[in-house]
Amino acid sequence: MLTEEALVQKFTTVVNDRCPELNTLLKYCHVELVNSYWGKPEKLLQYFVIYAPHQLLASVSAYKETFRSVAEDLGIANAICMNATRIIRDRCSTLKQKDPILWLELQFLVSQYLEH
């Protein structure tokens, strides 16, 4: 079985192969595999999340069907796009306490794009 990191790497590689123009966009995004349990009995659902800065969200979201297709080809339920800028600026968010590494990565991602 592939690890989460390997699945994310495979996902980005296949996406870049199918749509080479996404290579420049994904360089400013963070891709993560999320595990979620749902139902009775609990069933594991996995999906990819593509965190993009606010300025790129519309451009990245335009490829959501490509992301979903690649995710399904890899045996993952879905792929969704999320606004990284909104997440880190949300005062009610508990992400900083629950997953400080992801929060820092999103901070870096947003600041990196703004500098570019």
Side-chain angles (χ1 to χ4, degrees):
M1 184 168 190
L2 294 173
T3 64
E4 289 181 17
E5 294 85 17
L7 279 170
V8 168
Q9 182 62 39
K10 186 73 170 168
F11 176 79
T12 55
T13 302
V14 173
V15 165
N16 287 330
D17 286 347
R18 287 192 188 175
C19 295
E21 63 272 13
L22 275 171
N23 192 27
T24 55
L25 288 176
L26 287 180
K27 152 170 80 167
Y28 296 106
C29 297
H30 176 75
V31 180
E32 188 170 286
L33 181 66
V34 175
N35 296 318
S36 178
Y37 295 92
W38 186 79
K40 296 279 183 195
E42 289 186 345
K43 180 181 174 187
L44 173 66
L45 296 175
Q46 293 181 307
Y47 55 96
F48 289 106
V49 178
I50 299 101
Y51 295 98
H54 176 73
Q55 299 86 343
L56 288 181
L57 188 62
S59 300
V60 172
S61 294
Y63 293 94
K64 64 184 172 185
E65 290 305 318
T66 302
F67 295 139
R68 288 179 181 154
S69 173
V70 171
E72 288 174 3
D73 290 348
L74 293 175
I76 305 299
N78 202 353
I80 60 172
C81 301
M82 295 191 75
N83 187 335
T85 307
R86 180 175 281 174
I87 292 170
I88 62 170
R89 292 189 179 158
D90 183 359
R91 294 180 189 170
C92 297
S93 174
T94 59
L95 181 63
K96 187 175 182 179
Q97 292 78 26
K98 289 184 177 180
D99 194 346
I101 294 173
L102 176 59
W103 188 81
L104 286 172
E105 288 176 357
L106 295 181
Q107 285 276 34
F108 177 72
L109 174 83
V110 170
S111 66
Q112 179 186 21
Y113 182 75
L114 292 176
E115 290 175 3
H116 187 297

